[in-house]
Structures are given as structure tokens and as C-alpha cells.
Amino acid sequence: MSGATEALRCFVRNRAGINLGADKDYLVVSRLKPQLSSWDVTSLDGLAERLRAQPKGALADQVIAALTINETLWFRDSKPFDLLRTVILPELVTRKATDRSFAIWSAACSTGQEVYSIAMTLREEEAQLRGLRATILGSDICEPVLARARTGIYTQFEVQRGLPVQRLVRYFEDLGGEWRVRPELRSGIEFRALNLLDLPLNIGPFDIVFCRNVLIYFELDVKRNVLAALAARTKPGGYLILGGAETTLGLTTAFSPVPGTAGIYRRTT
Ligand SMILES: C[S@@+](CC[C@H](N)C(=O)[O-])C[C@H]1O[C@@H](n2cnc3c(N)ncnc32)[C@H](O)[C@@H]1O
């Protein structure tokens, strides 16, 4: 297609790591064209030109946000949440004799379902946590999805994706057509805009990092850099949980797979 779509794909790859091939030109066009007038430009060429002149700032953030894929659901793939309760938390509890808190990071959390699924799991494992308190940071590059995550409000369609009815009743208020996560579940949770390619030095270190279904969009060198950045923010012995199609193997030695699990790694060095 045009040089403009190529320039825009290049822009989003350089800034966010998201690798959209030429076959994704339709996505660039269909997502950006409807917003052109709100950005005061008349064409994709004009938009590419503006971003060349101003690669950072509000417009750049909005263009990146428009090109992210935010697909998510509750307890996605279920296994990671089972392993959280059966493998990770029991081990963490034995190590946390003096330090009575631990920190979890959901590093590409989209609209928040992953974060609240973690919070529900912790709530249901209170007995084995024996008073250990958790904080959860949910972050994403896309501010609009974070704004939704902060409200904790989900449509009927969204709550039907992976959330058993018992949990819906226990953890959500019925707003009549929509559902809001109860305040008790939201306490201890913070949502913050962060780009995995440009993380501040002062976040973490975390005991458990969920970074699921985002590395799949990155090229090899970007995956390596992001995994190094995650390792630098994970405590020694801390856990990294990746998506089903993602691995650290061949990309870093800072994490090694936890035997008998799939998609769970531990910080080694
Ligand atoms: C497919 S969703 C995955 C959501 C959730 N982790 C899950 O597994 O259901 C991928 C998310 O990664 C975010 N993302 C893409 N590039 C990013 C980057 N460079 N830094 C932070 N988040 C990014 C997108 O905005 C999107 O919300």
C-alpha cells in the first residue's frame, strides 16, 4: 500500500515494538482513518508527517494506542492462575518469613481482566497466605484501556468471557446491564501507563511478573530487550509468567523454566 502506511507501521514498531507486517495495512487504515479529523490532519500521509516532526507526545501516544490489540479475558488459559495457587504462592509463603508483603506486576494488562483475575485468586487463597499482603501493579502502553481498567466496569458480554457465575456474584456489583468490581477487590491495585520498551528504572522489584500475550507482537531483538528489562525488575527467585505461545528460551538466561509447568519461569541471576 502507500508509503504512509509503511511509515506508520515503522513508527509503531520503533516506539512500541509492535511488529505489524505489510499484511496489516488494512488495520492501520481502518483504525487510524476514522480518527484523522480529531487529530486535525486530512490524510495518513499528513499523519505520518506530523509524527516524523513530533515522535513523542499526545498524538504519538494516541496513534500507538489505536494500533494495539487489546484482546483479553478473565482467567485467560486458566493454567497460569492454577499454578499461581498451587506452585508459586506456596513457595513464596515459605520464603516470606519476615517480609510480610509481596508485589505483583501485570505488565501488559489491557482492560484489567488479568489483574482482577490475580486479585480474585489471592482472595481465594487468603488462608494459605497467612496474612501476607499483596500489591498489584497493572500497566499497559495504551491509556484508554487503562482508563477502563481503573473504572472496573465491564459489559455483560465481557463478564461472560471466562468468569464463572459464582465469581461474578461474589466480586462484582450489578449496575443493571454492566458490572463493577467491588471496592474490596480493587484495594491494593494500581494502574499505570508504561511502555515495555522504555520502562522507568524505579519500578519494582516484583515477586511475580505476568507478561502475557504481548511478546508475540515483538521481533526477536525487542523480545530480548524486554525480557532483560523485566529481569532487572524481578527479585532473585521471583517468577515470570508468559503467554502460551511465548518463551524465554534462546532469548535470556536470566529466567529459567520451572520444571513441571508451562509458561512459568524463575529469575536465576
Ligand atoms: C493481547 S493484550 C494481552 C492482555 C493480557 N496480558 C492477556 O494476556 O489477556 C496485549 C496488550 O499489550 C499491550 N502492549 C503492546 N505493546 C506494548 C508495549 N510496548 N508496552 C506495554 N504494553 C504494550 C497492548 O496495549 C495490549 O493491551
Side-chain angles (χ1 to χ4, degrees):
M1 208 176 266
S2 76
T5 50
E6 190 181 344
L8 290 162
R9 284 192 282 104
C10 242
F11 167 77
V12 81
R13 191 179 63 232
N14 291 340
R15 282 290 317 281
I18 301 167
N19 184 23
L20 301 170
D23 60 326
K24 293 287 189 301
D25 271 353
Y26 74 91
L27 189 131
V28 175
V29 173
S30 65
R31 293 219 180 154
L32 298 183
K33 265 206 162 158
Q35 301 199 56
L36 289 179
S37 60
S38 71
W39 293 325
D40 214 14
V41 285
T42 52
S43 66
L44 291 177
D45 284 298
L47 180 62
E49 194 52 49
R50 280 264 302 274
L51 291 170
R52 246 191 303 277
Q54 264 183 302
K56 290 199 171 180
L59 173 67
D61 291 348
Q62 287 167 25
V63 169
I64 292 167
L67 293 176
T68 56
I69 291 156
N70 311 116
E71 163 69 8
T72 190
L73 56 146
W74 307 94
F75 295 91
R76 187 170 186 174
D77 304 328
S78 72
K79 201 83 189 147
F81 301 92
D82 295 341
L83 292 168
L84 176 62
R85 75 177 78 225
T86 58
V87 175
I88 299 176
L89 292 179
E91 191 280 326
L92 209 60
V93 169
T94 60
R95 265 195 298 137
K96 292 271 176 185
T98 48
D99 176 7
R100 301 306 295 150
S101 66
F102 64 106
I104 302 181
W105 179 24
S106 166
C109 70
S110 187
T111 38
Q113 283 87 334
E114 183 170 276
V115 169
Y116 294 121
S117 300
I118 297 167
M120 288 181 229
T121 306
L122 298 182
R123 195 42 81 96
E124 290 160 20
E125 295 304 313
E126 253 168 9
Q128 72 155 315
L129 287 175
R130 291 194 232 125
L132 263 186
R133 289 274 145 230
T135 56
I136 310 177
L137 171 67
S139 69
D140 201 283
I141 198 170
C142 177
E143 181 53 47
V145 292
L146 291 171
R148 288 219 43 223
R150 284 185 199 105
T151 68
I153 297 176
Y154 297 91
T155 64
Q156 186 67 40
F157 174 73
E158 286 169 324
V159 296
Q160 279 165 351
R161 301 189 68 209
L163 195 63
V165 70
Q166 300 90 321
R167 284 188 173 134
L168 179 63
V169 171
R170 178 170 172 192
Y171 297 113
F172 290 76
E173 298 167 285
D174 184 353
L175 301 181
E178 291 187 314
W179 298 82
R180 180 168 55 209
V181 178
R182 291 185 192 277
E184 311 87 88
L185 197 70
R186 284 154 65 185
S187 75
I189 295 176
E190 183 201 352
F191 289 102
R192 187 170 163 193
L194 292 175
N195 181 353
L196 287 167
L197 272 60
D198 191 13
L199 290 169
L201 288 172
N202 64 351
I203 62 152
F206 297 93
D207 295 281
I208 306 171
V209 176
F210 282 72
C211 185
R212 306 197 64 233
N213 303 302
V214 63
L215 292 181
I216 40 171
Y217 299 107
F218 299 160
E219 285 177 338
L220 275 184
D221 57 334
V222 178
K223 287 183 199 193
R224 276 196 195 98
N225 292 340
V226 168
L227 285 168
L230 296 181
R233 289 159 182 83
T234 306
K235 291 182 188 169
Y239 292 88
L240 172 68
I241 303 170
L242 298 180
E246 296 162 335
T247 181
T248 65
L249 297 178
L251 298 171
T252 177
T253 53
F255 293 103
S256 62
V258 174
T261 73
I264 313 273
Y265 302 82
R266 274 190 96 174
R267 177 88 167 83
T268 48
T269 52

